[in-house]
Amino acid sequence: EVQLLQSGAEMRKPGESLKISCQGSGYTQYSFTSYWIGWVRQRPGKGLEWMGIIYPGDSDIRYSPSFQGQVTMSADTSISTAYLQWNSLQVSDSGMYYCARRKGSGYFDTWGQGTLVTVSS
Amino acid sequence: DIQMTQSPSTLSASVGDRVTITCRASQSVSTYLAWYQQKPGKAPKVLIYDASNLATGVPSRFSGHGSGTEFTLTITSLQPDDFATYYCQRYSSYLSAFGPGTQVEIK
């Protein structure tokens, strides 16, 4: 069974950097490189926001226009892990961040448990 | 950019009710539409993909219909476990988006 395990909750101050992770298990190494991994933000009490997707096989990335330039997605296929990174966090970046495996036509069939990011001075 | 809307935003219903949620796209997304269920403090779970295909392990009381710009998610007999928030997602291109969500609450 494919599972996505995300890194733990983080607390940062505005202007600080952060990198969170999403490790796949139950894949063969080949399989991790064959599925896009997506990132989804959910601010407290709000809906789901599609941030973008990365294809670990060749690091092809498609960002939502709303998140282009605000975050960086990357992946390390040797450890079946995808990353989401900020260079300079803002209070408005606070929220729960989910990674998810993009299946076939484009829906997400497997989700991580979420990483809570809190940015506060 | 294709905009997604859902109606209603909140729905009050009783156990055993038939419930229908509508998702509309501002332009055609063919059948590239999924439905998710999310409970408080949990990750979303896919219910329906490609507009009408039931995801593995999802009870048959859930069904999806539609194509183009209008889609529905129907729960034929609402169960206590179904009180949650439901989101549609379009994925007609590499860039995707979710609808704003519909909260199904106990009447």
Side-chain angles (χ1 to χ4, degrees):
Chain A
E1 178 194 4
V2 172
Q3 292 185 324
L4 297 173
L5 182 63
Q6 296 187 232
S7 50
E10 301 277 4
M11 187 171 292
R12 293 286 189 277
K13 292 180 171 18
E16 293 185 338
S17 62
L18 177 63
K19 192 173 189 178
I20 63 174
S21 66
C22 168
Q23 184 172 35
S25 64
Y27 285 93
T28 63
Q29 183 170 353
Y30 173 79
S31 294
F32 181 77
T33 61
S34 301
Y35 290 95
W36 294 81
I37 294 288
W39 290 93
V40 176
R41 181 174 75 181
Q42 187 167 39
R43 286 173 165 153
K46 302 298 183 183
L48 305 173
E49 298 176 86
W50 190 93
M51 300 176 68
I53 50 174
I54 180 169
Y55 190 74
D58 61 6
S59 291
D60 189 6
I61 302 171
R62 310 298 172 102
Y63 291 105
S64 162
S66 300
F67 291 92
Q68 179 83 47
Q70 309 304 309
V71 296
T72 302
M73 297 178 189
S74 60
D76 184 341
T77 58
S78 68
I79 54 172
S80 301
T81 299
Y83 300 97
L84 182 65
Q85 180 176 357
W86 295 260
N87 289 333
S88 181
L89 284 159
Q90 303 175 33
V91 172
S92 57
D93 293 319
S94 297
M96 185 69 82
Y97 290 83
Y98 294 101
C99 65
R101 187 178 77 162
R102 182 180 184 269
K103 192 79 186 296
S105 47
Y107 65 98
F108 293 131
D109 72 326
T110 303
W111 292 68
Q113 83 278 20
T115 296
L116 181 64
V117 173
T118 303
V119 185
S120 174
S121 54
Chain B
D1 192 22
I2 302 174
Q3 303 300 314
M4 307 300 293
T5 59
Q6 284 183 236
S7 59
S9 55
T10 305
L11 188 159
S12 296
S14 301
V15 172
D17 283 354
R18 179 186 180 92
V19 164
T20 298
I21 299 167
T22 299
C23 174
R24 291 185 175 88
S26 59
Q27 56 186 278
S28 177
V29 298
S30 184
T31 55
Y32 296 116
L33 188 107
W35 289 96
Y36 299 85
Q37 177 193 67
Q38 187 182 33
K39 296 180 180 179
K42 299 294 186 183
K45 168 190 167 185
V46 64
L47 301 173
I48 302 288
Y49 65 94
D50 296 349
S52 61
N53 292 314
L54 198 65
T56 303
V58 175
S60 59
R61 63 181 179 272
F62 292 92
S63 64
H65 298 278
S67 66
T69 62
E70 186 157 331
F71 302 86
T72 57
L73 172 71
T74 298
I75 310 171
T76 52
S77 178
L78 200 64
Q79 297 301 301
D81 191 48
D82 301 337
F83 292 96
T85 302
Y86 294 84
Y87 295 92
C88 60
Q89 179 207 8
R90 58 97 176 155
Y91 43 90
S92 51
S93 69
Y94 278 112
L95 298 186
S96 178
F98 292 96
T102 294
Q103 184 176 5
V104 177
E105 57 182 32
I106 301 172
K107 192 172 186 180

mmCIF file of all heavy atoms in Angstrom, chain A residues 77-104:
data_model
loop_
_atom_site.group_PDB
_atom_site.id
_atom_site.type_symbol
_atom_site.label_atom_id
_atom_site.label_comp_id
_atom_site.label_asym_id
_atom_site.label_seq_id
_atom_site.Cartn_x
_atom_site.Cartn_y
_atom_site.Cartn_z
ATOM 1 N N THR A 77 14.800 11.446 -5.587
ATOM 2 C CA THR A 77 14.290 10.115 -5.907
ATOM 3 C C THR A 77 15.011 9.017 -5.147
ATOM 4 O O THR A 77 14.447 7.941 -4.940
ATOM 5 C CB THR A 77 14.395 9.845 -7.417
ATOM 6 O OG1 THR A 77 15.762 9.980 -7.818
ATOM 7 C CG2 THR A 77 13.526 10.821 -8.198
ATOM 8 N N SER A 78 16.254 9.273 -4.712
ATOM 9 C CA SER A 78 17.016 8.224 -4.009
ATOM 10 C C SER A 78 16.378 7.866 -2.675
ATOM 11 O O SER A 78 16.584 6.768 -2.153
ATOM 12 C CB SER A 78 18.463 8.673 -3.799
ATOM 13 O OG SER A 78 18.528 9.748 -2.885
ATOM 14 N N ILE A 79 15.587 8.782 -2.125
ATOM 15 C CA ILE A 79 14.906 8.508 -0.856
ATOM 16 C C ILE A 79 13.395 8.705 -0.993
ATOM 17 O O ILE A 79 12.697 8.883 -0.006
ATOM 18 C CB ILE A 79 15.467 9.376 0.293
ATOM 19 C CG1 ILE A 79 15.439 10.866 -0.058
ATOM 20 C CG2 ILE A 79 16.874 8.933 0.666
ATOM 21 C CD1 ILE A 79 15.804 11.772 1.117
ATOM 22 N N SER A 80 12.906 8.702 -2.236
ATOM 23 C CA SER A 80 11.455 8.775 -2.503
ATOM 24 C C SER A 80 10.788 9.922 -1.736
ATOM 25 O O SER A 80 9.743 9.742 -1.105
ATOM 26 C CB SER A 80 10.777 7.447 -2.148
ATOM 27 O OG SER A 80 11.313 6.386 -2.893
ATOM 28 N N THR A 81 11.393 11.085 -1.798
ATOM 29 C CA THR A 81 10.909 12.218 -0.998
ATOM 30 C C THR A 81 10.737 13.461 -1.865
ATOM 31 O O THR A 81 11.598 13.784 -2.680
ATOM 32 C CB THR A 81 11.877 12.512 0.157
ATOM 33 O OG1 THR A 81 11.962 11.359 1.001
ATOM 34 C CG2 THR A 81 11.398 13.703 0.987
ATOM 35 N N ALA A 82 9.604 14.124 -1.648
ATOM 36 C CA ALA A 82 9.333 15.417 -2.273
ATOM 37 C C ALA A 82 9.401 16.502 -1.205
ATOM 38 O O ALA A 82 9.161 16.233 -0.024
ATOM 39 C CB ALA A 82 7.957 15.415 -2.939
ATOM 40 N N TYR A 83 9.737 17.707 -1.641
ATOM 41 C CA TYR A 83 9.918 18.818 -0.709
ATOM 42 C C TYR A 83 9.143 20.050 -1.170
ATOM 43 O O TYR A 83 8.931 20.270 -2.371
ATOM 44 C CB TYR A 83 11.406 19.200 -0.612
ATOM 45 C CG TYR A 83 12.305 18.102 -0.130
ATOM 46 C CD1 TYR A 83 13.013 17.316 -1.035
ATOM 47 C CD2 TYR A 83 12.465 17.841 1.232
ATOM 48 C CE1 TYR A 83 13.848 16.293 -0.606
ATOM 49 C CE2 TYR A 83 13.309 16.821 1.676
ATOM 50 C CZ TYR A 83 13.990 16.056 0.741
ATOM 51 O OH TYR A 83 14.814 15.044 1.184
ATOM 52 N N LEU A 84 8.782 20.867 -0.182
ATOM 53 C CA LEU A 84 8.182 22.168 -0.433
ATOM 54 C C LEU A 84 8.966 23.162 0.410
ATOM 55 O O LEU A 84 9.135 22.954 1.620
ATOM 56 C CB LEU A 84 6.708 22.164 -0.030
ATOM 57 C CG LEU A 84 5.919 23.444 -0.286
ATOM 58 C CD1 LEU A 84 5.804 23.743 -1.771
ATOM 59 C CD2 LEU A 84 4.521 23.330 0.340
ATOM 60 N N GLN A 85 9.421 24.243 -0.217
ATOM 61 C CA GLN A 85 10.360 25.150 0.436
ATOM 62 C C GLN A 85 9.931 26.602 0.286
ATOM 63 O O GLN A 85 9.405 27.005 -0.752
ATOM 64 C CB GLN A 85 11.737 24.948 -0.220
ATOM 65 C CG GLN A 85 12.858 25.786 0.318
ATOM 66 C CD GLN A 85 14.177 25.421 -0.338
ATOM 67 O OE1 GLN A 85 14.261 24.512 -1.161
ATOM 68 N NE2 GLN A 85 15.228 26.126 0.024
ATOM 69 N N TRP A 86 10.176 27.361 1.352
ATOM 70 C CA TRP A 86 9.982 28.807 1.343
ATOM 71 C C TRP A 86 11.322 29.487 1.685
ATOM 72 O O TRP A 86 11.998 29.038 2.618
ATOM 73 C CB TRP A 86 8.971 29.251 2.396
ATOM 74 C CG TRP A 86 7.569 28.795 2.212
ATOM 75 C CD1 TRP A 86 6.533 29.503 1.690
ATOM 76 C CD2 TRP A 86 7.028 27.524 2.603
ATOM 77 N NE1 TRP A 86 5.379 28.765 1.726
ATOM 78 C CE2 TRP A 86 5.659 27.534 2.282
ATOM 79 C CE3 TRP A 86 7.549 26.377 3.190
ATOM 80 C CZ2 TRP A 86 4.802 26.459 2.521
ATOM 81 C CZ3 TRP A 86 6.716 25.299 3.432
ATOM 82 C CH2 TRP A 86 5.356 25.341 3.105
ATOM 83 N N ASN A 87 11.650 30.558 1.012
ATOM 84 C CA ASN A 87 12.869 31.315 1.331
ATOM 85 C C ASN A 87 12.600 32.396 2.353
ATOM 86 O O ASN A 87 13.488 32.747 3.147
ATOM 87 C CB ASN A 87 13.473 31.920 0.066
ATOM 88 C CG ASN A 87 14.092 30.865 -0.825
ATOM 89 O OD1 ASN A 87 14.521 29.815 -0.348
ATOM 90 N ND2 ASN A 87 14.121 31.129 -2.121
ATOM 91 N N SER A 88 11.405 32.959 2.345
ATOM 92 C CA SER A 88 11.070 34.041 3.258
ATOM 93 C C SER A 88 9.590 33.949 3.601
ATOM 94 O O SER A 88 8.741 34.408 2.844
ATOM 95 C CB SER A 88 11.401 35.403 2.630
ATOM 96 O OG SER A 88 11.095 36.445 3.523
ATOM 97 N N LEU A 89 9.297 33.318 4.727
ATOM 98 C CA LEU A 89 7.912 33.072 5.104
ATOM 99 C C LEU A 89 7.190 34.346 5.497
ATOM 100 O O LEU A 89 7.790 35.302 6.031
ATOM 101 C CB LEU A 89 7.871 32.098 6.287
ATOM 102 C CG LEU A 89 8.137 30.638 5.941
ATOM 103 C CD1 LEU A 89 8.569 29.869 7.183
ATOM 104 C CD2 LEU A 89 6.908 29.993 5.304
ATOM 105 N N GLN A 90 5.878 34.352 5.247
ATOM 106 C CA GLN A 90 5.003 35.432 5.681
ATOM 107 C C GLN A 90 3.926 34.830 6.588
ATOM 108 O O GLN A 90 3.656 33.622 6.526
ATOM 109 C CB GLN A 90 4.343 36.092 4.477
ATOM 110 C CG GLN A 90 5.329 36.641 3.459
ATOM 111 C CD GLN A 90 4.637 37.186 2.218
ATOM 112 O OE1 GLN A 90 3.526 37.715 2.289
ATOM 113 N NE2 GLN A 90 5.293 37.078 1.084
ATOM 114 N N VAL A 91 3.324 35.678 7.390
ATOM 115 C CA VAL A 91 2.263 35.213 8.285
ATOM 116 C C VAL A 91 1.158 34.513 7.478
ATOM 117 O O VAL A 91 0.573 33.519 7.923
ATOM 118 C CB VAL A 91 1.690 36.386 9.101
ATOM 119 C CG1 VAL A 91 0.462 35.952 9.883
ATOM 120 C CG2 VAL A 91 2.751 36.958 10.036
ATOM 121 N N SER A 92 0.901 35.005 6.282
ATOM 122 C CA SER A 92 -0.157 34.453 5.440
ATOM 123 C C SER A 92 0.174 33.057 4.912
ATOM 124 O O SER A 92 -0.695 32.397 4.328
ATOM 125 C CB SER A 92 -0.444 35.382 4.257
ATOM 126 O OG SER A 92 0.735 35.593 3.507
ATOM 127 N N ASP A 93 1.400 32.584 5.108
ATOM 128 C CA ASP A 93 1.774 31.212 4.714
ATOM 129 C C ASP A 93 1.361 30.177 5.759
ATOM 130 O O ASP A 93 1.501 28.971 5.530
ATOM 131 C CB ASP A 93 3.287 31.106 4.481
ATOM 132 C CG ASP A 93 3.756 31.900 3.274
ATOM 133 O OD1 ASP A 93 3.050 31.877 2.243
ATOM 134 O OD2 ASP A 93 4.815 32.554 3.362
ATOM 135 N N SER A 94 0.847 30.628 6.879
ATOM 136 C CA SER A 94 0.403 29.705 7.924
ATOM 137 C C SER A 94 -0.742 28.833 7.414
ATOM 138 O O SER A 94 -1.647 29.323 6.734
ATOM 139 C CB SER A 94 -0.065 30.473 9.158
ATOM 140 O OG SER A 94 0.991 31.197 9.728
ATOM 141 N N GLY A 95 -0.684 27.569 7.744
ATOM 142 C CA GLY A 95 -1.741 26.660 7.333
ATOM 143 C C GLY A 95 -1.280 25.222 7.353
ATOM 144 O O GLY A 95 -0.143 24.923 7.734
ATOM 145 N N MET A 96 -2.172 24.347 6.960
ATOM 146 C CA MET A 96 -1.849 22.936 6.815
ATOM 147 C C MET A 96 -1.465 22.687 5.364
ATOM 148 O O MET A 96 -2.157 23.146 4.439
ATOM 149 C CB MET A 96 -3.058 22.076 7.185
ATOM 150 C CG MET A 96 -2.778 20.582 7.166
ATOM 151 S SD MET A 96 -1.684 20.080 8.495
ATOM 152 C CE MET A 96 -2.877 19.948 9.840
ATOM 153 N N TYR A 97 -0.377 21.963 5.179
ATOM 154 C CA TYR A 97 0.097 21.640 3.831
ATOM 155 C C TYR A 97 0.063 20.130 3.644
ATOM 156 O O TYR A 97 0.631 19.384 4.446
ATOM 157 C CB TYR A 97 1.515 22.179 3.611
ATOM 158 C CG TYR A 97 1.536 23.688 3.529
ATOM 159 C CD1 TYR A 97 1.553 24.466 4.669
ATOM 160 C CD2 TYR A 97 1.484 24.326 2.294
ATOM 161 C CE1 TYR A 97 1.528 25.849 4.601
ATOM 162 C CE2 TYR A 97 1.468 25.715 2.207
ATOM 163 C CZ TYR A 97 1.487 26.466 3.368
ATOM 164 O OH TYR A 97 1.465 27.833 3.277
ATOM 165 N N TYR A 98 -0.618 19.723 2.589
ATOM 166 C CA TYR A 98 -0.729 18.307 2.271
ATOM 167 C C TYR A 98 0.046 17.995 0.989
ATOM 168 O O TYR A 98 -0.001 18.777 0.028
ATOM 169 C CB TYR A 98 -2.182 17.909 2.023
ATOM 170 C CG TYR A 98 -3.100 18.007 3.211
ATOM 171 C CD1 TYR A 98 -3.966 19.084 3.360
ATOM 172 C CD2 TYR A 98 -3.124 17.002 4.184
ATOM 173 C CE1 TYR A 98 -4.835 19.159 4.446
ATOM 174 C CE2 TYR A 98 -3.982 17.083 5.272
ATOM 175 C CZ TYR A 98 -4.831 18.156 5.388
ATOM 176 O OH TYR A 98 -5.680 18.233 6.464
ATOM 177 N N CYS A 99 0.724 16.850 0.985
ATOM 178 C CA CYS A 99 1.214 16.321 -0.287
ATOM 179 C C CYS A 99 0.266 15.203 -0.696
ATOM 180 O O CYS A 99 -0.441 14.618 0.146
ATOM 181 C CB CYS A 99 2.647 15.816 -0.183
ATOM 182 S SG CYS A 99 2.898 14.396 0.904
ATOM 183 N N ALA A 100 0.222 14.904 -1.976
ATOM 184 C CA ALA A 100 -0.691 13.884 -2.476
ATOM 185 C C ALA A 100 -0.157 13.328 -3.786
ATOM 186 O O ALA A 100 0.491 14.044 -4.565
ATOM 187 C CB ALA A 100 -2.091 14.457 -2.680
ATOM 188 N N ARG A 101 -0.434 12.060 -4.038
ATOM 189 C CA ARG A 101 -0.019 11.447 -5.290
ATOM 190 C C ARG A 101 -1.060 11.697 -6.353
ATOM 191 O O ARG A 101 -2.253 11.423 -6.159
ATOM 192 C CB ARG A 101 0.197 9.943 -5.109
ATOM 193 C CG ARG A 101 0.793 9.286 -6.349
ATOM 194 C CD ARG A 101 1.045 7.816 -6.156
ATOM 195 N NE ARG A 101 -0.174 7.010 -6.231
ATOM 196 C CZ ARG A 101 -0.179 5.698 -6.439
ATOM 197 N NH1 ARG A 101 0.974 5.051 -6.591
ATOM 198 N NH2 ARG A 101 -1.312 5.031 -6.479
ATOM 199 N N ARG A 102 -0.611 12.198 -7.502
ATOM 200 C CA ARG A 102 -1.508 12.451 -8.631
ATOM 201 C C ARG A 102 -1.590 11.186 -9.459
ATOM 202 O O ARG A 102 -0.584 10.651 -9.907
ATOM 203 C CB ARG A 102 -0.975 13.603 -9.471
ATOM 204 C CG ARG A 102 -1.842 14.011 -10.653
ATOM 205 C CD ARG A 102 -1.164 15.158 -11.385
ATOM 206 N NE ARG A 102 -1.927 15.704 -12.498
ATOM 207 C CZ ARG A 102 -1.828 15.295 -13.752
ATOM 208 N NH1 ARG A 102 -1.001 14.319 -14.066
ATOM 209 N NH2 ARG A 102 -2.540 15.871 -14.697
ATOM 210 N N LYS A 103 -2.821 10.714 -9.648
ATOM 211 C CA LYS A 103 -3.054 9.456 -10.343
ATOM 212 C C LYS A 103 -3.602 9.701 -11.723
ATOM 213 O O LYS A 103 -4.367 10.633 -11.935
ATOM 214 C CB LYS A 103 -4.065 8.625 -9.535
ATOM 215 C CG LYS A 103 -4.195 7.180 -9.958
ATOM 216 C CD LYS A 103 -3.075 6.345 -9.409
ATOM 217 C CE LYS A 103 -3.107 4.915 -9.934
ATOM 218 N NZ LYS A 103 -4.305 4.166 -9.517
ATOM 219 N N GLY A 104 -3.178 8.876 -12.671
ATOM 220 C CA GLY A 104 -3.771 8.842 -14.001
ATOM 221 C C GLY A 104 -4.132 10.188 -14.589
ATOM 222 O O GLY A 104 -3.277 10.986 -14.951
#
